Amino acid sequence: MDAIHEVDVLCDEFESEWKQGRTPQIVEFLHRTDSSLVESLLAELVKLDLYYRELNGETPSLADYETQFPDYKEVLRSLEAQIPTYIVQPRRLGTFLLKRHVGRGGFGDVWDAFDTKLQRRVALKTPRDREVDPAHLRLFLREARAVAQIEHPHVVRVYEQGEVNGRAYIAAEFVDGPTLARWVKWHDVDAAEAARICRDIALGLVAAHAAGVVHRDLKPGNVLMAAGDVPKIVDFGLAKRLDGTTTIGQPGTILGTFAYMSPEQARGNQYVDGRSDVYSLGAILYELLTHRTVFKGTAQELLDQIYHREPAAPRTLNQTIPQDLETICLKAISKLPADRYQTAQQLVDDLNRFLNGEPVLARRVGLVERSWRWIRTHKAWSALVGTVGVAALALAGIGWQRFEEYRAARQVVTLKTEPPGAKVVFVPLDPRTGEPVPEKKVKAGKSPVRQRLLPGDYLVVTYVDDEFFHEVYRHVPDKGAMNSLKYHQRHRNWEVLGGDVIELPSVTLHVQPFVAANMVKPFAGAEYVIAETEFTLVDYHKTLNTDQQPKGNGCIVIPSDDWALRCTAFDDAMGIAERAGGRLPTLFELQACLGRTQIAHESSIDPNHPVGEGDARRTSDGIIIYGLTSNVAEWTISFSPNLPEVIELEVDPPFEIVGAPPFQFAGPEAGSSRIVFGPLSDDEMNSPTDANHNRMFFRNTWRNDLGLRLARSIAPRFTD
Amino acid sequence: MNESSGSGPATWVHHLKSGQAEGLNELWARFYDRLVHHSKGRVRSVGMNGIDEESVACSVFESIWRAASEGRLESIQSCDELWWWLLSAAHRKIVDHTRRATALKRGGGEYVADLGDAQALQQLLSNEPTPEYLTILSEEYERGMAILDDEQLKRIAVLKVSGATNEEICEELVIAPATVTRKLRRIYEIWRVAGEQET
């Protein structure tokens, strides 16, 4: 009795430390008991330790403790039967076998892993803290999606990204080699080799920029040297964006990053283009040639130099550096983006000329010009920061050349809201991922607004305050477009008012969705609420003010008012969601609901809920979400270049909304499919193995097992 | 420390699960119906959602009622150790009380061993729960709860007797699964020692 009691008390204390956010050490607790109890205490503490480490986003293994407590191997092995099998070796994350912990990046752990499904070795990255800020997680996954499109020998390939049990991961090509930062320490790099390495990296940048991805944190630590000294760029945008520690506020800890950062980025300008990467690569070349970074000093000194000081010419540090290569290097690290190579390709070309012994295009800048340039730079930046402010910075970021094109392409767009006077923000959607790009948002003031916008899809946030708002989607057509086909969905309509002015359908603000669905916040910290059930027939009747059933080819009649609405094509789902005062959820939002819930016990389910019967999931806070894994799948707003598209075309007239004009077939086009979340049939629903079915369906797909669920942001986004 | 692996209620469940005592399911069903029938009359009006602080003191009949209404008692296999403990403790009392000669083995005062096989269970179940039995069951429950000096232990015991799984307890009390198992072992031990002292 006393023994059990003593072990219990120590375990309680150990657990309490974990719950208070500390990391208690097993060994310290073992010292507090006499030797007869050590074994039983160790066994209990290890079980607790495994549980809380996993909860904190680590990937612990029983083997970790065998190393730490070699004398107690027997005890530890006896635990195998008592703890989840994936914690007993080998470590697993979904289909991945985690073989070796190889490092920690700015955003989390990196594992040498094996994809058992596709039978290949991968580098698996997982954010360290499972409770990572959802906004960061979105960025993590968004970047990964964008990078996944890049297939190039000098870019580390991203194979896939996703979530398993609520843990996000990125599976990338495994490169067995050191970073360039380490590699240079035991290699003597001559000018030609430096030029070759930088040319290869620049080739990688060309591919990335073509996919619309800017690295933002290119440095020797983010270049891996594969077998044969082949450089490969890694961590596009990830480390920089997820590592909140990369700020000016911590002198001495982040100089490595600043040393390669372009002036415009060092100023905190989020809107940087590929020329920022050109600068960083120039800084790498500078270091390979001179064995020192462009600037040295504390963070503050570094920033001051990056803004105001011209670097020492490489040849003043090392006479043997060829002049042409020095010229290329200095051009690449010009303070003004417009003075640099305008594209990574131009840098590749000049480096190739140097390697082939041809004259390079970069011009040497004389002392007089450099002085003038210094003054101009100095004045320009002072003026920008001091007086002109944000707008000028944005222009500088875009660059004059591109600014001209940009100005020429813009449309004048007008938009009204009900009630008038709401503030309006246009957030462009990334055409490759469909995600909003907050850096490019345009605040248009109070409605009715008149705003020049580039053609494309937008998330339009209209708001009076944190409660009274609506987030809708609108399309700005190319210049010269005729009136849109009259879709019944407002997000695809526009009207040409003449004189290059386009009117977008107006937006009606809501305090909350007005349909029957109960909106719940699925977990603490969620930035959205989601309907407790799928969108039902009664919701549909209420939203469209009709008592008719949706009609569609092959669609069976929905037997009861509170059954899930089905047979909606994507655009219908979008339109219905907007009219109901909400929006469609993202894949991430639905996956988060799935990942944070467990099958609810019957006792906690409302027996009168026929939606998703036998399929209710409960969060740890006791919130029930019905039908997430029912046999009716749900449209999301998301799409992914990595999922194959399912295109099922029906020739006959599909679903009709009462009073709407007839359906127009738009034809498959880029970004015209969306991810559908959840099982599609009874078979899939009843399959216990994987509730997480995601597929890309062509937007005009209407099926008997495809509906929607309403979501709404807790507060209007992108308003700051 | 071997209470869960040796004889005793755990062994019953093991026997039942391995299908050695299929016929017992019928016996259980009748016994259980009877228990529920009795508990219906005695249950106070309590909510069915979750176990709040007040419920810590609730009677065994409320636990039976709750477990029954949530469908947790229908299968004999869903029963967990604490349930069997309670039933066996009440049974032993009855046996002692009436001083009826039984075929049960008696060993060293450890009444756990008394009911350590399927036969013993059969014997328990084939006797309809008499009013006397039910009173003793209720007393055993209250006594069991009373000797748990720690609020957390009490809550775990109530949840467990009410048919909650370890995972549900872990979620409800926000503690690690290993803690639930450890605490249950303590409860078991406290009850066992108390039983021994009495004998």
Side-chain angles (χ1 to χ4, degrees), chain A residues 173-190:
Chain A
E173 171 191 1
F174 190 89
V175 177
D176 206 359
T179 63
L180 180 59
R182 286 185 63 198
W183 183 87
V184 291
K185 288 187 179 148
W186 63 81
H187 285 83
D188 224 2
V189 186
D190 63 14

Side-chain angles (χ1 to χ4, degrees), chain A residues 5 8 12 15 19 598 618, chain B residues 171 174 176 182-183 186:
Chain A
H5 186 71
D8 194 39
D12 282 350
E15 181 168 31
K19 287 166 85 169
Q598 293 184 326
R618 180 180 185 274
Chain B
E171 209 175 279
V174 202
R182 199 176 69 240
K183 297 288 179 191
R186 256 192 83 187

